[in-house]
Amino acid sequence: MAVHKSFGTYCAQICEISIDEDDYVQIEKYTAAVDCGVAVNPDVIKAQVEGAIGFGVGHIMRDQITLDGGVVVQQNFPDYEPLRMRDIKAIEVHIVKTNEAPSGIGEPGTPPAGPALANAIAASGRDLVTHLPMIENGVDFA
């Protein structure tokens, strides 16, 4: 689990994982609760949080930008693999009902995504991953 507040919005996330017999981590589900004031357009809020989780998880899992002589090494998808549909089996978003004024929703879903995944991995009995990307620091994903 991880919780974050920014732009007047609270976002809590729980990441559920499984680990197979070959020690590969599979992200089974992210559950998010978001309090962004009055939900003006709930479908957009859900889409924003789903996208924010995907954006955050992709970077935490395997993406990085490296430089060689001041030049970016990664040029396209063979060098910088984006998140795939198979990487997260399910995302569930709950919007807290409130009468508070609407607040921001674009960014608050990204910051807790990585810590929620790291905490789920640590809760499975593995060491807490503190260096990123995870794939280069002892975590293999299914």
Side-chain angles (χ1 to χ4, degrees):
M1 178 177 178
V3 181
H4 174 75
K5 180 187 178 200
S6 62
F7 301 96
T9 296
Y10 293 90
C11 186
Q13 296 177 10
I14 296 172
C15 178
E16 299 173 46
I17 63 167
S18 62
I19 300 177
D20 68 17
E21 63 277 352
D22 295 322
D23 210 29
Y24 285 91
V25 174
Q26 173 65 57
I27 300 171
E28 299 292 340
K29 183 178 182 182
Y30 265 85
T31 303
V34 61
D35 180 352
C36 58
V38 173
V40 176
N41 190 331
D43 290 338
V44 169
I45 293 169
K46 287 180 181 181
Q48 286 281 358
V49 174
E50 290 169 354
I53 290 170
F55 180 75
V57 169
H59 292 291
I60 296 301
M61 286 174 64
R62 62 178 164 255
D63 292 341
Q64 66 178 332
I65 300 293
T66 56
L67 302 173
D68 183 15
V71 178
V72 174
V73 174
Q74 293 75 21
Q75 297 297 313
N76 211 325
F77 295 132
D79 307 321
Y80 188 86
E81 184 182 354
L83 190 76
R84 306 287 187 193
M85 292 294 289
R86 69 175 183 264
D87 291 327
I88 303 174
K89 289 186 177 181
I91 299 175
E92 186 176 298
V93 178
H94 300 273
I95 302 168
V96 175
K97 293 183 183 187
T98 180
N99 291 323
E100 296 295 319
S103 56
I105 193 58
E107 293 84 359
T110 298
L117 176 57
N119 289 336
I121 292 169
S124 75
R126 299 172 118 205
D127 291 336
L128 180 64
V129 181
T130 59
H131 292 85
L132 303 175
M134 288 182 170
I135 201 155
E136 291 192 8
N137 290 284
V139 180
D140 294 314
F141 290 94

